[in-house]
Amino acid sequence: MDAKPRIGPGAPAGVDEALIRRQVHTFYGRVRQDPVLGPIFNDAITDWDEHLAKLCDFWSSVLLMTGRFKGSPMAAHARRPDIRDEHFALWLDLFERTAREVCPPAAADLFVERSRMIGRSLALGLSVSRGVIPPLDA
């Protein structure tokens, strides 16, 4: 008996591999040019082609449940002491603006919702790993 294909929450919202690629590549093209985020990312990433492929795998795993992503985002971000809480707000704002421009509305909503959840998780994990108790959101 064949296993049922995993399509994830993205398929009904119109997400496919081409849309993921367009969102990831457009967004990180903007990140690289951002006056605050650009220097952090450009210092951390030595091979942008490899990094973008990994990020496409990440979003494919999140939205289409492909299981392609192999990695530890928390560990990768924890190695970067220059990443601070305020960077997450900038990243999320730019990500949302890009999604709203690049994606159909339902897909943009899903990208944004998942990015916020992932951003909160990373910010919390980094705070805890640095011995800081983050403020609780109301």
Side-chain angles (χ1 to χ4, degrees):
M1 181 183 267
D2 290 333
K4 191 174 186 179
R6 299 182 296 172
I7 59 170
V15 175
D16 61 15
E17 296 294 343
L19 184 61
I20 289 170
R21 187 179 196 289
R22 192 163 52 250
Q23 169 66 15
V24 167
H25 283 250
T26 303
F27 170 67
Y28 281 99
R30 293 173 180 180
V31 163
R32 294 173 77 177
Q33 300 302 314
D34 185 86
V36 176
L37 299 174
I40 295 166
F41 278 85
N42 289 318
D43 184 56
I45 309 303
T46 56
D47 184 338
W48 273 99
D49 290 337
E50 178 185 321
H51 191 65
L52 291 171
K54 184 182 289 190
L55 290 167
C56 286
D57 287 347
F58 174 81
W59 283 104
S60 179
S61 292
V62 168
L63 298 179
L64 299 176
M65 296 182 66
T66 59
R68 287 199 327 247
F69 179 74
K70 307 295 182 222
S72 175
M74 184 61 67
H77 289 83
R79 288 192 294 268
R80 305 295 311 182
D82 50 342
I83 298 174
R84 298 187 305 274
D85 282 345
E86 60 266 24
H87 296 136
F88 285 100
L90 295 171
W91 187 98
L92 288 168
D93 179 63
L94 184 57
F95 191 87
E96 180 172 354
R97 285 187 284 129
T98 303
R100 302 272 179 227
E101 292 173 23
V102 169
C103 303
D109 289 345
L110 188 58
F111 266 110
V112 169
E113 182 261 323
R114 296 298 161 98
S115 71
R116 288 177 181 163
M117 180 184 70
I118 292 162
R120 280 191 302 271
S121 176
L122 281 173
L124 179 61
L126 288 179
S127 292
V128 170
S129 75
R130 295 171 180 167
V132 176
I133 299 174
L136 296 175
D137 292 336

